[in-house]
Structure formats: C-alpha cells, structure tokens
Amino acid sequence: MRIVFAGTPEFAAEHLAALLSSSEHEVVAVYTQPDRPAGRGKKLHASAVKQLALKHAIPVEQPSTLKDVDAQAQLAQYHADVMVVVAYGLLLPQAALDIPTYGCINVHGSLLPRWRGAAPIQRAIWAGDSHAGVAIMQMEAGLDTGPVLLSRSIEIAVDETSASLYGKLADLGPQALIECLADLPKYLADAQVQDEHQVTYAKKLSKQEAQLDWHLPAAQLERNVRAFNPWPIAWLTTAAGQVVKVWRTEVCTGASSKAAGTVLRADKQGIVIQTTDAALCITELQPPGKKPMPVNDFLNGRSEWFPLDSVLPGVEHE
C-alpha cells in the first residue's frame, strides 16, 4: 500500500522504521511537527521521525495545522491508501481523516478504551495496572475514540518504569502495525467499537504532580516514582530546603504513629519517610547538579539533609 506516515518522537520513529523495512508497502510521505528549539543554544531540532525520513529521502511535510484547505490539498496529492499516525501531536480534522482510501489508523500506547489521551504509558504504571499494551484504531475526530482493529497486551513488571515500558511497547507496536496492514480491509471490517463505560483518560504529567506528597499511600508514591521516570522525575524538598530528585524507592513494612513526611531513618539501606499509611524507603537519589546515585553515596557528606525525626515539606493542600 501507499502509506503516508505521521509521527514525531522516537516511539513513532520505531514504527516508521518497521514500515521502511517492509517490502510490502511504500511510504510516500512523512508528516511531523515543525522543528522545535532544543538544547542550551535553543537551535531548531528536527524530530526523530523527520531525521529518519530524510535518511531515506522521503518527502517531509511539517504543517502547523491540518485544518486549512491548502494542507489538506497537499495531503491529497500523495494519493495514499492509508495514513498511519503514531504520536503525531496534531489533531486531524475529519476532512483530513477522509482523504486516504482506507482513512487513518493510529497506534496508541494503551489497551483502549483504557487510557485515552496524552500519557497512557505513564498512567498505566501510576494506576497500578497489571497489563499495558498497544491498540490500533481507525481514527475519528474525537480523542482516541475510534473502533479498535487490533490490540496486543504485555504484563507490567513490578519494577517497571515508564522508560522500560516505553521500550517494550516500541517493540510491540511496530509488530502489531505490520500485522494489521497485512490484511487491513479485514481488520477494518471486524473493528470493535470501544465500550464507553470502560473509558479512562491519561492526562498529561507535570513537574508539580511529580512532587512526592507524603499524605498519599506509600504504594502510590512508589508507583509515582516509576511512572515519572524518565520525565518529569519524582522529587522532594529536604528539611533544609534542597530539592532532590528521587529515582528508586520501595515500600517499607511496619507501622509508625509519626506524622506524614517524618524522617524515620537515613542510612546506607535507605532514607525512610513516613507516609499516610506506611513508610517509603528511598534508595536512589539525585542531588542538584549531580547524577543519580545510590543512597549510601548520597548520604556521604549530606546526612544533615535528612535529620532523624525532621518533617519534610509536603504538597500544600487547599
């Protein structure tokens, strides 16, 4: 088939690479977001998808919107059988969705209808889901609302981070995409309408949300640390006001009557903080201007950052 591919980050580039290595299909154009300033010099930086497309001499389109008629006319000139969309980052109006012969299909990093929206991989870990996966759907004008053509599921490991799960789904998604395209008319005919009663939304992450809130259960905080890795990275403020990033934690057994945020212990085994229901043991941290390090290295010269029985500042609640 003649394919127009639309995507932006590395996750999307993995899917484009799979299409380019397939002898069954021809990628006739690539759509990606406009180049963005990046790095200290704020120089314009091409997306991972654009870089891969240029290496293969594929035409690259970077409209700021697909809502105007000129952009839609350009898309129509490629005479695509299907448009494959993976983490593109721009909304496609119905007029654009209707241009390819078979419409547009999207590879989404969740088991739809669970976790529609911007951060499905992270929210699966954040919520404590047992499984994650990818779903290929026919796109509609709504947010991830289209019928599902194909789903593939994997188990979420107990120590899974968003970074590790992202990598697994970047392998799983391209395989599912190639399988779906091999018999696309059949998959379209058999597509399953999403159950609206099962819908959940994966809202964007924020640096503010990544602050450890000691009034949450310890198990939730442990999941937060894994869900917010590699971005925005969980963080806390010490009793003396230093902001420290937190990379690895575990839930401690045993009860304490001390207030949430109290430092119960700080030694080479971990920094143990009371939460609303249990204790959280921090085993890997990152001080300002340094790389992440084991707790033993962190406390070497910084033990006064976590005085015994001090209460760490928490999230302010209205």
Side-chain angles (χ1 to χ4, degrees):
M1 287 189 293
R2 290 175 60 84
I3 295 173
V4 167
F5 183 87
T8 299
E10 185 60 38
F11 184 74
E14 295 287 347
H15 292 74
L16 176 58
L19 292 175
L20 294 174
S21 65
S22 169
S23 60
E24 302 297 319
H25 310 293
E26 179 188 6
V27 179
V28 295
V30 160
Y31 278 68
T32 191
Q33 286 208 32
D35 296 356
R36 306 293 190 198
R40 292 185 177 181
K42 296 298 181 182
K43 295 182 179 179
L44 290 179
H45 182 76
S47 71
V49 164
K50 179 179 179 178
Q51 293 178 48
L52 181 59
L54 293 178
K55 286 182 181 178
H56 289 266
I58 300 171
V60 175
E61 303 287 350
Q62 295 178 274
S64 58
T65 179
L66 280 166
K67 294 180 179 180
D68 66 69
V69 293
D70 289 340
Q72 293 165 15
Q74 180 62 44
L75 176 60
Q77 288 182 10
Y78 288 111
H79 302 288
D81 294 308
V82 65
M83 186 173 187
V84 174
V85 182
V86 186
Y88 180 28
L90 289 183
L91 291 175
L92 273 65
Q94 192 63 50
L97 296 175
D98 292 339
I99 290 173
T101 305
Y102 292 109
C104 302
I105 64 172
N106 172 249
V107 183
H108 186 72
S110 81
L111 298 172
L112 291 170
R114 187 161 178 80
W115 302 130
R116 292 177 180 174
I121 296 172
Q122 299 91 328
R123 291 300 172 189
I125 295 174
W126 170 84
D129 291 0
S130 61
H131 288 77
V134 294
I136 300 178
M137 65 174 176
Q138 184 164 33
M139 295 180 69
E140 299 176 343
L143 179 64
D144 302 328
T145 59
V148 175
L149 283 64
L150 175 67
S151 291
R152 289 291 178 265
S153 173
I154 58 171
E155 191 171 345
I156 297 177
V158 293
D159 60 347
E160 200 84 73
T161 66
S162 289
S164 63
L165 184 55
Y166 185 98
K168 293 175 182 178
L169 296 184
D171 289 334
L172 187 66
Q175 297 173 30
L177 175 61
I178 295 300
E179 180 181 343
C180 184
L181 290 173
D183 199 358
L184 183 59
K186 180 181 183 300
Y187 279 109
L188 289 170
D190 296 339
Q192 299 295 310
V193 175
Q194 295 185 39
D195 183 352
E196 292 296 323
H197 296 291
Q198 302 297 320
V199 170
T200 58
Y201 287 96
K203 70 175 184 178
K204 291 182 179 180
L205 307 182
S206 68
K207 291 184 179 180
Q208 181 179 4
E209 185 185 7
Q211 181 181 3
L212 295 180
D213 183 352
W214 307 115
H215 290 88
L216 292 175
Q220 180 65 65
L221 292 176
E222 189 272 338
R223 293 198 302 270
N224 286 6
V225 171
R226 292 186 287 114
F228 301 152
N229 174 352
W231 191 91
I233 301 297
W235 59 277
L236 59 80
T237 303
T238 70
Q242 299 95 342
V243 175
V244 175
K245 294 180 179 179
V246 178
W247 287 84
R248 192 180 301 273
T249 62
E250 58 189 46
V251 177
C252 296
T253 57
S256 169
S257 60
K258 294 185 177 181
T262 301
V263 178
L264 304 179
R265 196 180 78 234
D267 54 34
K268 63 182 180 180
Q269 275 74 47
I271 298 169
V272 181
I273 313 295
Q274 179 65 38
T275 73
T276 193
D277 67 342
L280 188 72
C281 181
I282 304 170
T283 58
E284 186 177 353
L285 310 87
Q286 182 179 359
K290 302 289 184 181
K291 294 181 179 180
M293 60 185 68
V295 64
N296 193 41
D297 293 339
F298 179 91
L299 289 174
N300 186 19
R302 302 183 187 87
S303 58
E304 73 279 2
W305 289 20
F306 291 94
L308 187 65
D309 288 331
S310 62
V311 179
L312 303 183
V315 176
E316 293 185 5
H317 294 271
E318 295 182 358

